Amino acid sequence: MELKRTPIYAEHAAAKAKLIDFGGWEMPVQYAGVIEEHQTVRTKAGLFDVSHMGEIDVRGPQALELVNHWITNDVNRIADGQILYSPMCYPNGGIVDDLLVYRYSPEHIYLVVNASNTDKDFAWMQEQAQGFNAELHNVSPETAQLALQGPLAEKILQKLTNVDLSAIKYYWFRHGQIAGVECLISRTGYTGEDGFEFYFAPEKAAELWRKVLEAGKPEGIQPIGLGARDTLRFEARLPLYGNELGPEISPLEAGLGIFVKLNKPEFNGKEALAKQKEAGLSRKLVGLEMIERGIARSHYPIQKDGQDIGFVTSGSYSPTLNKNIALGLIQSDLAVLGEEMDIMIRNKPVKAKVIPTPFYKRAGV
Amino acid sequence: MNPKDLKYSKDHDWARVEGNVVTLGITDHAQESLGDVVFVEIPAVGATVTAGQSYGTVESVKAVSDIVAAVSGKVIAVNEAIIDAPDTLNQDPYGAGWLVRVEATDQSAMDAMMNAEEYDAYLAAEGDH
């Protein structure tokens, strides 16, 4: 199958970024190097091409009710102009995807979903839209997206817009021009840093990419690949679909209970999740730090006294902590701070212990 | 760029022969493809390695790569410094980034390895895909 490319592909290729197949998209995994890019986002600012992400527009008198039927969080809890993070579940409580919900009004909601899940999500939403007076459109092909993340993100982006960015609070959005391009601007991100994500028509994508990089030069901006995007989100314990989330994992097990509003009248998965909560969770997601030498990787088994107790969902060297850490889904009774267990690395037990998460939290939050 | 005095494998491992002592490492292309190396696992002195088989791993932030022995024999020295500073592999793969020295009991597998010129051609051809 031919790989899909974002409208900024030519810029990545010209910059000699290392390109990989990411869920059917030919995307930059790194430019200068994962660790350097990671540190740039933690200390300065980095620009990400995330145009592969999916966007779905829902409109109609029952748009809010429909979205609330799909997701576990509650769109009634936010105001117009505000954003909500939510898992979306199957009736059995397994996760279809996790998404951002932009509330324009109760009649107009805009959803941002994972790139590789866009088609699956859209089909699921259509199937689950019967009887609601609302229409949904997959607007992903008409939408480009950039993310500018890091402590200097606001300073850099403010040079290119008349919109008062300091007035946009965390998880709020508004419309305005950036470098003359009409954008949806939101204060959101997937790195654990302050920053913005902006959505716009793909025709101007390459130009906007260049202009933001140019504007951020004095601040030391760098383009960032998916490699650092993963280590950044991982340190901040932001879940990744396919690792921490999936059809076999419930949002309660994944530690996303605060995004599951069981007091909502109705939503897909409500009964199953209520039952699971009442019975008590059999497994939980925990943070792990390697005690012995080794790097835990996704899907490595976790054992205690030779018995399987779970598996690693994400694992990596942490550039910020300079330690090897992991997230693992394990038996609840062993999900206790300080508990020691073995990560099976190439069939050899390597000691690790449970530590608090998130592994990284930015100052002042 | 790839030193003339080394032999190279299709898996991007290199070997330097000095009598019956063979030094092993990974090539510049290998470190470049891996990206930032953050973990190296190599056998202890006294361990035996077998030609064509994995004798350890090199891990970058995103990838795990087996390292393959060019010869069979006994490990007589290991680069301890690289365990604490794995990024040395990125900076100097043919010098300070060496991995182990082996007292070879069988060097026959090296006959199938490439010289620098052949390896350069191999890389160029690989890049065309």
Side-chain angles (χ1 to χ4, degrees), chain B:
Chain B
M1 183 174 65
N2 292 305
K4 299 271 183 238
D5 59 329
L6 305 183
K7 289 286 212 173
Y8 300 88
S9 78
K10 288 183 175 174
D11 297 323
H12 309 287
D13 299 280
W14 60 258
R16 176 184 286 116
V17 182
E18 288 151 306
N20 68 337
V21 173
V22 180
T23 305
L24 304 178
I26 66 167
T27 69
D28 186 55
H29 174 83
Q31 70 77 19
E32 178 77 38
S33 312
L34 275 167
D36 298 328
V37 175
V38 293
F39 184 80
V40 176
E41 189 169 34
I42 41 181
V45 169
T48 54
V49 299
T50 307
Q53 298 199 354
S54 166
Y55 67 96
T57 51
V58 172
E59 302 193 29
S60 66
V61 181
K62 300 305 310 165
V64 181
S65 179
D66 276 326
I67 39 180
V68 177
V71 293
S72 297
K74 195 172 83 178
V75 175
I76 55 166
V78 302
N79 186 354
E80 299 283 354
I82 206 143
I83 290 168
D84 293 325
D87 58 330
T88 308
L89 259 179
N90 294 115
Q91 288 144 19
D92 191 7
Y94 298 120
W98 68 278
L99 295 170
V100 297
R101 280 198 182 93
V102 176
E103 192 174 62
T105 52
D106 181 1
Q107 297 191 15
S108 59
M110 288 196 57
D111 297 344
M113 291 179 83
M114 295 172 271
N115 64 29
E117 206 174 308
E118 289 163 338
Y119 183 60
D120 287 343
Y122 174 70
L123 288 180
E126 222 187 20
D128 288 343
H129 292 306

Side-chain angles (χ1 to χ4, degrees), chain A residues 146-158:
Chain A
L146 297 182
L148 180 62
Q149 301 279 300
L152 303 181
E154 183 185 313
K155 187 181 175 201
I156 293 166
L157 200 61
Q158 194 63 74

Side-chain angles (χ1 to χ4, degrees), chain A residues 263-280:
Chain A
N263 57 355
K264 257 200 321 182
E266 181 275 337
F267 62 92
N268 279 333
K270 181 179 173 179
E271 272 174 43
L273 293 171
K275 209 174 276 176
Q276 189 177 58
K277 191 175 179 183
E278 197 183 304

Side-chain angles (χ1 to χ4, degrees), chain A residues 68-86:
Chain A
N68 256 352
H69 169 61
W70 295 330
I71 69 169
T72 62
N73 208 335
D74 187 354
V75 192
N76 279 312
R77 296 172 65 96
I78 56 167
D80 295 349
Q82 206 173 355
I83 304 157
L84 192 71
Y85 169 80
S86 182

